[in-house]
Amino acid sequence: MGYGQQSPGGEHQQQGPWPPYAGQPPAPGGGAPWNAHPGPPPSPSGRRRSSVIAVVAATAVVLAAGITGFLVLGGDGDDGKPEAGPTGAGGVSSSASPGEPRGGAEDGTAPLVPGWKTVINPKRGIAFDVPVDWAVKSSGWVTYVAENGDPEETPLVGFAAPAILKEKWCRSDDDGNGTQEDTPLASVGSRAEPDARDTAEAARENARLWVYGSYAQPAKEKVTTGAAKPFTTKSGLTGIVATATSTGVDGPGRCAYDGKATAFAFENPAGDTLSWTFVGVRGVDDEVPEPTVRKILGTVRLVDGAP
């Protein structure tokens, strides 16, 4: 993974650290039905491709390999579609109607968990809470993963308005080019799912593709996806949750680890399918424990979206 900066003229300069989203889910055949800014050239080492892309003041694009993100400024660009130019199973029952915030501010922006902070995707009208040590990115920030060696950096899957835990959790220079690249411990975000056939498909595919793209590729057989199950959040929002994990990842880099993902797909009052996804490293001492993942998931709620 690498963190670089692309000048307005398109020149890519590796600068050192970072890596996970964006856009609609991939088509059943595997290709993504949306486009994102191209990332840096494929790493010679062939390790997983994901990058961080940020548009700063509409002049510079920040790139990184591993998990990818970019900041969308203005327009209707969202979920990995920026405008032209750089610019458990079981849930918590509730008497509240689906999507209605319970506790905190009437608009649902106050955290439901005392001491946590709220993450909001205003474009999709989604909010959730994370512990205070997570870094909350702006609502226009988009993160995604792509196939190793894809010169177009076509996203496999992604999410917008993310929160990230320990962005520089693991640092390595796997391709030996002298640039240290960082891997985050975990990320979480949300998106729209206009091409999903149903919430079960959206949940399972999000979980599977995040684990494959971030940790297991090119070994699809090392990813196990669980069954889709009903789930209800604290606000009474109902949907489907699915998980995926990788086992036996043995890449050449020092930051090659197994991963896990939990995805929750649901519908808003307009009937649009939306999703929330957690993705993180698995099998390490500071792995985000499942009770914490489920606690974050339990806070997912609908709020007033952007006008």
Side-chain angles (χ1 to χ4, degrees):
M1 289 170 284
Y3 181 72
Q5 184 167 311
Q6 184 171 335
S7 67
E11 179 181 1
H12 179 254
Q13 300 172 336
Q14 287 289 345
Q15 290 186 343
W18 217 75
Y21 163 44
Q24 287 83 6
W34 42 269
N35 296 315
H37 285 299
S43 167
S45 65
R47 67 173 298 178
R48 65 184 184 278
R49 286 296 296 163
S50 32
S51 313
V52 169
I53 306 174
V55 179
V56 181
T59 58
V61 180
V62 177
L63 305 163
I67 293 175
T68 304
F70 54 79
L71 180 63
V72 179
L73 301 181
D76 294 327
D78 175 274
D79 294 345
K81 297 183 295 183
E83 296 299 294
T87 53
V92 180
S93 297
S94 168
S95 58
S97 60
E100 177 186 348
R102 189 176 70 171
E106 291 184 0
D107 62 1
T109 59
L112 303 184
V113 178
W116 283 22
K117 52 190 177 183
T118 301
V119 182
I120 300 175
N121 181 342
K123 180 72 175 181
R124 301 307 175 193
I126 301 170
F128 58 92
D129 303 336
V130 293
V132 294
D133 54 342
W134 287 64
V136 178
K137 296 298 184 181
S138 72
S139 60
W141 191 271
V142 180
T143 310
Y144 65 87
V145 287
E147 283 280 4
N148 290 341
D150 178 4
E152 299 301 321
E153 281 284 320
T154 304
L156 289 169
V157 67
F159 45 51
I164 302 166
L165 179 62
K166 298 183 180 180
E167 296 184 49
K168 301 179 180 181
W169 176 75
C170 182
R171 172 168 288 190
S172 65
D173 178 16
D174 294 345
D175 56 12
N177 67 355
T179 298
Q180 293 294 315
E181 300 160 347
D182 293 336
T183 300
L185 180 60
S187 300
V188 61
S190 57
R191 66 184 257 178
E193 301 285 353
D195 296 324
R197 287 173 291 192
D198 51 41
T199 52
E201 178 186 73
R204 283 177 55 85
E205 281 298 280
N206 268 282
R208 180 184 70 83
L209 287 170
W210 269 113
V211 172
Y212 168 72
S214 301
Y215 308 102
Q217 66 169 303
K220 294 181 179 180
E221 69 279 3
K222 292 184 178 181
V223 179
T224 300
T225 307
K229 300 179 180 180
F231 188 88
T232 303
T233 70
K234 278 187 174 183
S235 71
L237 181 62
T238 60
I240 297 294
V241 69
T243 61
T245 58
S246 67
T247 303
V249 168
D250 54 0
R254 65 181 298 269
C255 294
Y257 291 93
D258 278 313
K260 64 180 182 179
T262 296
F264 175 56
F266 50 93
E267 292 186 355
N268 64 13
D272 302 320
T273 298
L274 307 174
S275 69
W276 166 99
T277 303
F278 163 93
V279 58
V281 180
R282 172 174 173 262
V284 296
D285 291 343
D286 47 357
E287 171 185 349
V288 178
E290 281 307 302
T292 300
V293 176
R294 290 289 167 147
K295 192 171 183 178
I296 297 172
L297 167 58
T299 66
V300 177
R301 55 199 182 274
L302 296 177
V303 296
D304 289 337

